[in-house]
Amino acid sequence: MNYQILGKTGLKVSEVGFGGIPIMRLNFKEATRVTRHAFDRGITFFDTANMYKDSEVKLGKALLGIRDQVVIATKTGRRDAAGALEHLELSLQSLQTGYIDLYQFHQVAQEKEWNAIIAPGGAMETVMKAKEQGKVRHIGITSHSLPMAIKFVQSGLFETIQFPFNFIEEAAKEELFVEARRYNVGIIVMKPFAGGIIDRAALAFKYLRQQADILPIPGFDSTEKIDEILAIYQHPNVVSEEDLLLMDQCRSEVGNQFCRRCEYCQPCPNGVMITAAMGYGVIAKRMSPAVAVDFAKTAMETVPNCVDCGVCKPRCPYQLPIPEILRKHYALYQKHREAQ
Ligand code: SF4
Ligand code: SF4
Protein backbone atom coordinates (compact mmCIF):
# COMPACT_ATOMS: atom_id res chain seq x y z
CA MET A 1 0.00 0.00 0.00
CA ASN A 2 1.25 3.45 -0.86
CA TYR A 3 0.39 6.48 1.26
CA GLN A 4 -0.14 10.09 0.28
CA ILE A 5 -0.74 13.46 1.91
CA LEU A 6 -4.36 14.60 1.71
CA GLY A 7 -4.04 18.18 0.54
CA LYS A 8 -3.61 20.85 3.17
CA THR A 9 -4.86 18.60 5.96
CA GLY A 10 -1.33 17.19 6.03
CA LEU A 11 -2.89 13.84 6.92
CA LYS A 12 -1.04 10.81 5.60
CA VAL A 13 -3.60 8.41 4.15
CA SER A 14 -3.64 5.19 2.16
CA GLU A 15 -4.01 5.65 -1.60
CA VAL A 16 -7.39 3.90 -1.38
CA GLY A 17 -9.92 4.69 1.33
CA PHE A 18 -12.89 2.82 2.77
CA GLY A 19 -16.38 4.03 1.93
CA GLY A 20 -18.74 3.33 4.82
CA ILE A 21 -22.09 2.88 3.05
CA PRO A 22 -22.09 -0.87 2.29
CA ILE A 23 -21.35 -1.99 5.87
CA MET A 24 -24.89 -0.82 6.66
CA ARG A 25 -26.12 -4.09 5.14
CA LEU A 26 -23.72 -6.27 7.16
CA ASN A 27 -24.28 -7.47 10.69
CA PHE A 28 -21.91 -6.16 13.36
CA LYS A 29 -19.63 -9.20 13.30
CA GLU A 30 -19.23 -9.07 9.50
CA ALA A 31 -18.82 -5.29 9.47
CA THR A 32 -16.00 -5.60 11.99
CA ARG A 33 -14.35 -8.40 10.01
CA VAL A 34 -14.45 -6.44 6.74
CA THR A 35 -13.28 -3.20 8.36
CA ARG A 36 -10.39 -4.86 10.16
CA HIS A 37 -9.41 -6.67 6.98
CA ALA A 38 -9.20 -3.31 5.23
CA PHE A 39 -6.96 -2.01 8.01
CA ASP A 40 -4.81 -5.15 7.99
CA ARG A 41 -4.33 -4.67 4.23
CA GLY A 42 -3.10 -1.11 4.82
CA ILE A 43 -6.20 1.04 4.41
CA THR A 44 -6.12 3.91 6.90
CA PHE A 45 -8.84 6.29 5.66
CA PHE A 46 -12.42 5.48 6.68
CA ASP A 47 -15.32 7.61 5.48
CA THR A 48 -18.83 7.51 6.90
CA ALA A 49 -21.71 9.90 7.62
CA ASN A 50 -24.44 10.60 10.09
CA MET A 51 -27.00 9.66 7.45
CA TYR A 52 -25.53 6.18 6.79
CA LYS A 53 -27.71 4.59 9.45
CA ASP A 54 -25.52 2.44 11.75
CA SER A 55 -22.33 2.81 9.69
CA GLU A 56 -20.70 5.10 12.28
CA VAL A 57 -21.54 2.73 15.13
CA LYS A 58 -20.14 -0.22 13.19
CA LEU A 59 -16.96 1.62 12.25
CA GLY A 60 -16.53 2.86 15.82
CA LYS A 61 -16.73 -0.68 17.14
CA ALA A 62 -14.46 -2.10 14.43
CA LEU A 63 -11.77 0.54 14.88
CA LEU A 64 -11.55 0.24 18.67
CA GLY A 65 -7.94 -0.19 19.71
CA ILE A 66 -6.53 1.20 16.46
CA ARG A 67 -8.12 4.64 16.56
CA ASP A 68 -4.79 6.45 16.57
CA GLN A 69 -3.63 4.58 13.46
CA VAL A 70 -6.57 5.57 11.24
CA VAL A 71 -8.14 8.69 9.80
CA ILE A 72 -11.90 8.93 10.34
CA ALA A 73 -13.99 11.17 8.13
CA THR A 74 -17.69 11.70 8.73
CA LYS A 75 -20.36 14.21 7.70
CA THR A 76 -23.34 16.23 8.74
CA GLY A 77 -26.26 17.07 6.51
CA ARG A 78 -27.52 19.74 8.89
CA ARG A 79 -27.10 23.34 7.82
CA ASP A 80 -27.83 25.06 11.15
CA ALA A 81 -25.50 25.37 14.15
CA ALA A 82 -27.73 23.50 16.59
CA GLY A 83 -28.39 20.64 14.15
CA ALA A 84 -24.70 20.30 13.27
CA LEU A 85 -23.82 20.20 16.99
CA GLU A 86 -26.37 17.45 17.55
CA HIS A 87 -24.90 15.45 14.64
CA LEU A 88 -21.32 16.02 15.75
CA GLU A 89 -21.96 14.85 19.32
CA LEU A 90 -23.79 11.80 17.99
CA SER A 91 -20.92 11.00 15.62
CA LEU A 92 -18.35 11.25 18.41
CA GLN A 93 -20.46 8.93 20.53
CA SER A 94 -21.19 6.45 17.72
CA LEU A 95 -17.58 6.36 16.57
CA GLN A 96 -16.39 6.00 20.20
CA THR A 97 -13.81 8.73 19.75
CA GLY A 98 -12.93 12.11 21.20
CA TYR A 99 -12.21 13.69 17.82
CA ILE A 100 -13.12 13.46 14.14
CA ASP A 101 -10.13 13.76 11.80
CA LEU A 102 -12.18 15.19 8.93
CA TYR A 103 -15.66 16.62 9.41
CA GLN A 104 -17.50 17.31 6.16
CA PHE A 105 -20.61 19.23 5.21
CA HIS A 106 -22.62 16.59 3.40
CA GLN A 107 -23.87 17.03 -0.15
CA VAL A 108 -24.15 20.77 -0.40
CA ALA A 109 -25.68 21.38 -3.82
CA GLN A 110 -27.60 24.62 -3.69
CA GLU A 111 -26.81 28.25 -2.94
CA LYS A 112 -29.47 28.42 -0.25
CA GLU A 113 -27.89 25.50 1.65
CA TRP A 114 -24.49 27.13 1.37
CA ASN A 115 -25.86 30.46 2.55
CA ALA A 116 -27.49 28.73 5.53
CA ILE A 117 -24.22 27.03 6.47
CA ILE A 118 -22.16 30.23 6.49
CA ALA A 119 -24.87 32.54 7.88
CA PRO A 120 -24.80 33.57 11.58
CA GLY A 121 -26.26 30.57 13.43
CA GLY A 122 -25.24 28.30 10.56
CA ALA A 123 -23.48 24.93 10.74
CA MET A 124 -20.07 26.47 10.03
CA GLU A 125 -20.13 28.15 13.45
CA THR A 126 -20.43 24.79 15.19
CA VAL A 127 -17.74 23.14 13.10
CA MET A 128 -15.25 26.01 13.50
CA LYS A 129 -15.82 26.00 17.26
CA ALA A 130 -15.39 22.21 17.36
CA LYS A 131 -12.10 22.65 15.54
CA GLU A 132 -10.91 25.14 18.15
CA GLN A 133 -11.91 22.64 20.85
CA GLY A 134 -10.06 19.79 19.13
CA LYS A 135 -13.21 17.77 18.49
CA VAL A 136 -12.74 18.28 14.75
CA ARG A 137 -9.25 18.33 13.27
CA HIS A 138 -9.97 19.26 9.65
CA ILE A 139 -12.96 20.56 7.69
CA GLY A 140 -14.16 19.34 4.32
CA ILE A 141 -17.22 19.43 2.13
CA THR A 142 -18.95 17.08 -0.29
CA SER A 143 -21.09 17.92 -3.29
CA HIS A 144 -22.48 16.58 -6.54
CA SER A 145 -22.70 20.03 -8.08
CA LEU A 146 -19.66 20.99 -10.12
CA PRO A 147 -20.09 24.79 -9.97
CA MET A 148 -20.72 24.64 -6.23
CA ALA A 149 -17.74 22.35 -5.63
CA ILE A 150 -15.47 24.74 -7.52
CA LYS A 151 -16.83 27.60 -5.43
CA PHE A 152 -16.17 25.68 -2.18
CA VAL A 153 -12.59 24.98 -3.21
CA GLN A 154 -12.02 28.63 -4.11
CA SER A 155 -13.57 29.82 -0.83
CA GLY A 156 -10.44 28.75 1.03
CA LEU A 157 -12.62 27.42 3.87
CA PHE A 158 -12.09 23.72 3.20
CA GLU A 159 -9.20 21.32 3.37
CA THR A 160 -10.86 18.62 1.28
CA ILE A 161 -13.50 18.35 -1.42
CA GLN A 162 -15.38 15.09 -1.99
CA PHE A 163 -16.91 14.74 -5.45
CA PRO A 164 -18.08 11.95 -7.81
CA PHE A 165 -15.47 10.92 -10.37
CA ASN A 166 -15.21 7.90 -12.64
CA PHE A 167 -14.83 7.23 -16.35
CA ILE A 168 -18.51 7.98 -16.93
CA GLU A 169 -18.58 11.15 -14.85
CA GLU A 170 -15.38 12.88 -15.89
CA ALA A 171 -16.31 16.53 -15.51
CA ALA A 172 -14.32 17.08 -12.30
CA LYS A 173 -11.06 16.38 -14.09
CA GLU A 174 -10.96 19.75 -15.73
CA GLU A 175 -11.65 22.81 -13.58
CA LEU A 176 -12.44 21.25 -10.18
CA PHE A 177 -9.28 19.16 -9.88
CA VAL A 178 -7.17 21.96 -11.31
CA GLU A 179 -8.53 24.42 -8.74
CA ALA A 180 -8.24 21.90 -5.89
CA ARG A 181 -4.58 21.41 -6.72
CA ARG A 182 -4.07 25.16 -6.95
CA TYR A 183 -5.55 25.63 -3.45
CA ASN A 184 -3.96 22.42 -2.12
CA VAL A 185 -7.40 21.04 -1.25
CA GLY A 186 -7.38 17.25 -0.84
CA ILE A 187 -9.46 15.45 -3.49
CA ILE A 188 -11.62 12.60 -2.21
CA VAL A 189 -13.38 10.68 -4.94
CA MET A 190 -16.78 9.18 -4.27
CA LYS A 191 -18.62 6.85 -6.63
CA PRO A 192 -15.62 5.24 -8.32
CA PHE A 193 -18.14 2.79 -9.84
CA ALA A 194 -20.59 5.55 -10.82
CA GLY A 195 -22.93 4.45 -8.05
CA GLY A 196 -22.91 0.79 -9.19
CA ILE A 197 -23.17 1.40 -12.92
CA ILE A 198 -19.55 0.37 -13.65
CA ASP A 199 -19.12 -3.29 -12.83
CA ARG A 200 -15.48 -3.78 -13.86
CA ALA A 201 -13.23 -2.89 -10.93
CA ALA A 202 -9.99 -3.15 -12.89
CA LEU A 203 -11.25 -0.76 -15.54
CA ALA A 204 -12.67 1.68 -12.98
CA PHE A 205 -9.40 1.88 -11.07
CA LYS A 206 -7.16 1.98 -14.12
CA TYR A 207 -9.01 5.13 -15.02
CA LEU A 208 -8.79 6.63 -11.53
CA ARG A 209 -5.12 5.85 -11.08
CA GLN A 210 -4.30 8.19 -13.94
CA GLN A 211 -4.89 10.97 -11.37
CA ALA A 212 -2.14 10.11 -8.91
CA ASP A 213 -3.14 12.45 -6.07
CA ILE A 214 -6.84 11.63 -5.69
CA LEU A 215 -8.22 9.44 -2.92
CA PRO A 216 -10.96 7.07 -4.11
CA ILE A 217 -13.22 5.66 -1.39
CA PRO A 218 -14.97 2.58 -2.78
CA GLY A 219 -17.59 1.09 -0.49
CA PHE A 220 -16.71 -2.36 0.81
CA ASP A 221 -18.99 -5.14 2.00
CA SER A 222 -16.60 -8.07 1.72
CA THR A 223 -12.94 -8.94 2.21
CA GLU A 224 -12.88 -10.27 -1.36
CA LYS A 225 -13.82 -6.88 -2.73
CA ILE A 226 -11.03 -5.25 -0.74
CA ASP A 227 -8.50 -7.77 -2.03
CA GLU A 228 -9.75 -7.35 -5.60
CA ILE A 229 -9.21 -3.60 -5.57
CA LEU A 230 -5.92 -3.64 -3.69
CA ALA A 231 -4.58 -6.23 -6.16
CA ILE A 232 -5.07 -3.64 -8.91
CA TYR A 233 -2.80 -1.26 -6.99
CA GLN A 234 -0.01 -3.82 -6.78
CA HIS A 235 0.94 -3.28 -10.43
CA PRO A 236 2.04 -0.19 -12.34
CA ASN A 237 -0.96 1.41 -14.00
CA VAL A 238 -1.21 0.66 -17.70
CA VAL A 239 -4.25 1.82 -19.64
CA SER A 240 -4.34 -0.01 -22.96
CA GLU A 241 -6.17 0.85 -26.17
CA GLU A 242 -8.54 -1.99 -25.34
CA ASP A 243 -9.29 -0.44 -21.92
CA LEU A 244 -10.05 2.88 -23.56
CA LEU A 245 -12.40 1.18 -25.98
CA LEU A 246 -14.18 -0.62 -23.14
CA MET A 247 -14.61 2.67 -21.28
CA ASP A 248 -16.05 4.26 -24.40
CA GLN A 249 -18.39 1.32 -24.87
CA CYS A 250 -19.62 1.62 -21.28
CA ARG A 251 -20.11 5.39 -21.66
CA SER A 252 -22.24 4.90 -24.73
CA GLU A 253 -24.24 2.05 -23.11
CA VAL A 254 -25.09 4.19 -20.08
CA GLY A 255 -25.59 7.36 -22.08
CA ASN A 256 -26.75 10.36 -20.16
CA GLN A 257 -29.82 8.74 -18.68
CA PHE A 258 -28.74 8.42 -15.09
CA CYS A 259 -29.11 10.70 -12.12
CA ARG A 260 -25.95 12.48 -10.93
CA ARG A 261 -27.59 13.64 -7.68
CA CYS A 262 -26.85 17.30 -8.37
CA GLU A 263 -30.26 18.29 -6.92
CA TYR A 264 -30.94 21.05 -9.42
CA CYS A 265 -34.41 19.54 -9.95
CA GLN A 266 -35.49 20.24 -6.38
CA PRO A 267 -37.63 21.31 -4.67
CA CYS A 268 -40.70 19.52 -5.95
CA PRO A 269 -43.85 21.59 -5.26
CA ASN A 270 -45.56 18.38 -4.20
CA GLY A 271 -42.93 17.25 -1.76
CA VAL A 272 -41.42 14.42 -3.80
CA MET A 273 -37.88 13.68 -2.61
CA ILE A 274 -36.70 13.48 -6.20
CA THR A 275 -32.96 12.92 -5.87
CA ALA A 276 -33.22 10.18 -3.28
CA ALA A 277 -36.00 8.43 -5.21
CA MET A 278 -34.10 8.72 -8.49
CA GLY A 279 -31.31 6.72 -6.86
CA TYR A 280 -33.52 3.76 -5.96
CA GLY A 281 -32.51 1.75 -9.04
CA VAL A 282 -28.85 1.82 -8.00
CA ILE A 283 -29.62 1.33 -4.31
CA ALA A 284 -31.67 -1.75 -5.18
CA LYS A 285 -28.74 -3.06 -7.20
CA ARG A 286 -26.28 -2.52 -4.37
CA MET A 287 -28.35 -3.64 -1.39
CA SER A 288 -30.65 -6.53 -0.66
CA PRO A 289 -34.31 -5.64 -1.38
CA ALA A 290 -35.12 -5.53 2.35
CA VAL A 291 -32.26 -3.14 3.16
CA ALA A 292 -33.01 -1.03 0.07
CA VAL A 293 -36.66 -0.67 1.11
CA ASP A 294 -35.70 0.24 4.64
CA PHE A 295 -32.99 2.68 3.48
CA ALA A 296 -35.12 4.48 0.89
CA LYS A 297 -38.55 4.23 2.52
CA THR A 298 -38.87 7.89 3.51
CA ALA A 299 -38.04 9.11 0.00
CA MET A 300 -39.95 6.44 -1.90
CA GLU A 301 -43.15 7.04 0.07
CA THR A 302 -43.19 10.58 -1.34
CA VAL A 303 -43.23 9.38 -4.97
CA PRO A 304 -47.02 8.88 -5.18
CA ASN A 305 -47.29 12.65 -4.58
CA CYS A 306 -45.95 13.19 -8.11
CA VAL A 307 -48.69 14.63 -10.30
CA ASP A 308 -46.49 14.76 -13.40
CA CYS A 309 -46.56 18.57 -13.38
CA GLY A 310 -43.21 18.66 -15.19
CA VAL A 311 -41.75 21.45 -13.05
CA CYS A 312 -38.61 19.43 -12.32
CA LYS A 313 -37.81 18.36 -15.87
CA PRO A 314 -36.39 21.59 -17.32
CA ARG A 315 -34.29 22.04 -14.19
CA CYS A 316 -32.37 18.82 -14.82
CA PRO A 317 -29.14 19.63 -16.67
CA TYR A 318 -29.10 16.08 -18.02
CA GLN A 319 -32.66 16.23 -19.43
CA LEU A 320 -33.72 13.15 -17.49
CA PRO A 321 -37.36 12.09 -17.83
CA ILE A 322 -37.76 12.42 -14.07
CA PRO A 323 -41.45 11.48 -13.60
CA GLU A 324 -41.11 8.38 -15.77
CA ILE A 325 -38.00 7.22 -13.92
CA LEU A 326 -39.71 7.87 -10.58
CA ARG A 327 -42.69 5.74 -11.62
CA LYS A 328 -40.39 2.91 -12.69
CA HIS A 329 -38.47 3.06 -9.41
CA TYR A 330 -41.66 3.17 -7.38
CA ALA A 331 -42.91 0.03 -9.10
CA LEU A 332 -39.63 -1.71 -8.20
CA TYR A 333 -39.85 -0.43 -4.62
CA GLN A 334 -43.41 -1.73 -4.31
CA LYS A 335 -42.33 -5.11 -5.60
CA HIS A 336 -39.52 -5.25 -3.03
CA ARG A 337 -41.81 -4.07 -0.23
CA GLU A 338 -44.45 -6.65 -1.04
CA ALA A 339 -41.87 -9.44 -1.12
CA GLN A 340 -40.94 -8.80 2.52
S1 SF4 B 1 -43.17 16.12 -12.11
FE1 SF4 B 1 -43.56 15.11 -10.17
S2 SF4 B 1 -41.57 15.08 -9.16
FE2 SF4 B 1 -41.42 16.58 -10.80
S3 SF4 B 1 -41.93 18.52 -9.80
FE3 SF4 B 1 -43.85 17.72 -10.66
S4 SF4 B 1 -44.77 16.54 -8.98
FE4 SF4 B 1 -42.62 16.91 -8.44
S1 SF4 C 1 -32.77 14.18 -11.67
FE1 SF4 C 1 -31.36 15.50 -12.81
S2 SF4 C 1 -31.40 17.45 -11.70
FE2 SF4 C 1 -32.31 15.92 -10.36
S3 SF4 C 1 -30.59 15.23 -9.13
FE3 SF4 C 1 -30.75 13.82 -10.84
S4 SF4 C 1 -29.36 14.62 -12.39
FE4 SF4 C 1 -29.69 16.26 -10.91
Side-chain angles (χ1 to χ4, degrees):
M1 177 68 76
N2 290 314
Y3 295 85
Q4 61 193 24
I5 300 299
L6 184 60
K8 65 175 97 169
T9 67
L11 293 166
K12 191 175 177 188
V13 294
S14 48
E15 62 187 331
V16 182
F18 184 103
I21 292 179
I23 55 169
M24 286 193 295
R25 59 176 170 256
L26 303 179
N27 62 32
F28 272 82
K29 193 174 163 202
E30 266 304 286
T32 297
R33 194 174 75 85
V34 170
T35 307
R36 289 305 280 243
H37 184 76
F39 175 73
D40 292 342
R41 292 294 319 270
I43 291 178
T44 57
F45 184 88
F46 294 83
D47 182 82
T48 180
N50 171 280
M51 76 169 292
Y52 302 163
K53 292 187 166 280
D54 58 6
S55 171
E56 286 183 325
V57 179
K58 284 171 173 162
L59 274 186
K61 189 171 173 349
L63 297 173
L64 270 182
I66 52 169
R67 173 67 188 95
D68 57 346
Q69 297 171 63
V70 298
V71 169
I72 296 179
T74 191
K75 316 178 188 83
T76 176
R78 295 297 291 269
R79 309 310 188 206
D80 62 307
L85 183 60
E86 192 188 314
H87 273 192
L88 175 62
E89 294 298 340
L90 203 58
S91 290
L92 290 167
Q93 192 187 332
S94 301
L95 287 159
Q96 302 190 51
T97 182
Y99 64 95
I100 307 290
D101 297 283
L102 177 63
Y103 202 59
Q104 303 158 101
F105 295 97
H106 200 169
Q107 203 170 324
V108 185
Q110 298 177 2
E111 286 288 345
K112 68 172 183 193
E113 296 172 84
W114 172 237
N115 291 336
I117 288 169
I118 56 173
M124 184 64 85
E125 278 184 7
T126 291
V127 179
M128 296 294 268
K129 193 167 169 200
K131 194 174 177 190
E132 281 167 25
Q133 294 169 334
K135 291 181 178 175
V136 163
R137 297 209 165 154
H138 302 281
I139 303 174
I141 191 161
T142 85
S143 184
H144 291 82
S145 160
L146 191 58
M148 294 300 284
I150 293 168
K151 179 176 173 157
F152 301 147
V153 164
Q154 293 172 337
S155 75
L157 290 168
F158 303 103
E159 294 161 274
T160 62
I161 179 76
Q162 188 176 141
F163 197 81
F165 182 63
N166 53 69
F167 66 75
I168 293 174
E169 298 169 281
E170 302 185 275
K173 196 165 62 172
E174 309 301 333
E175 198 177 348
L176 177 59
F177 286 4
V178 171
E179 287 301 281
R181 286 170 185 137
R182 191 154 77 92
Y183 285 84
N184 194 22
V185 169
I187 302 168
I188 302 169
V189 162
M190 63 168 113
K191 306 196 169 53
F193 297 104
I197 290 165
I198 299 170
D199 54 8
R200 294 179 176 140
L203 205 58
F205 281 85
K206 277 185 179 190
Y207 178 80
L208 295 175
R209 289 182 71 201
Q210 294 177 110
Q211 310 282 326
D213 57 350
I214 63 174
L215 171 60
I217 50 167
F220 291 120
D221 62 1
S222 71
T223 55
E224 291 78 14
K225 192 83 179 204
I226 294 167
D227 292 342
E228 181 189 15
I229 290 175
L230 295 190
I232 300 165
Y233 277 80
Q234 279 169 1
H235 305 284
N237 196 38
V238 179
V239 182
S240 67
E241 283 298 318
E242 193 192 343
D243 294 328
L244 293 173
L245 277 173
L246 286 169
M247 288 176 203
D248 270 344
Q249 196 182 327
C250 187
R251 284 183 196 108
S252 48
E253 272 166 20
V254 172
N256 285 327
Q257 294 290 296
F258 68 98
C259 176
R260 277 81 163 176
R261 300 177 183 83
C262 64
E263 300 201 351
Y264 291 139
C265 53
Q266 307 212 81
C268 162
N270 294 297
V272 178
M273 294 170 69
I274 304 174
T275 310
M278 287 290 282
Y280 190 74
V282 172
I283 288 168
K285 202 171 154 191
R286 293 164 73 194
M287 301 177 178
S288 67
V291 175
V293 165
D294 186 43
F295 182 77
K297 187 161 54 189
T298 308
M300 294 312 293
E301 292 298 340
T302 66
V303 175
N305 296 344
C306 176
V307 295
D308 214 347
C309 70
V311 166
C312 55
K313 280 170 74 172
R315 292 179 185 160
C316 176
Y318 306 102
Q319 291 88 44
L320 297 181
I322 297 172
E324 289 113 273
I325 295 175
L326 289 178
R327 280 195 290 276
K328 197 174 95 187
H329 286 179
Y330 189 72
L332 183 64
Y333 166 77
Q334 270 185 312
K335 194 171 134 198
H336 289 163
R337 197 180 52 186
E338 281 157 16
Q340 285 186 336

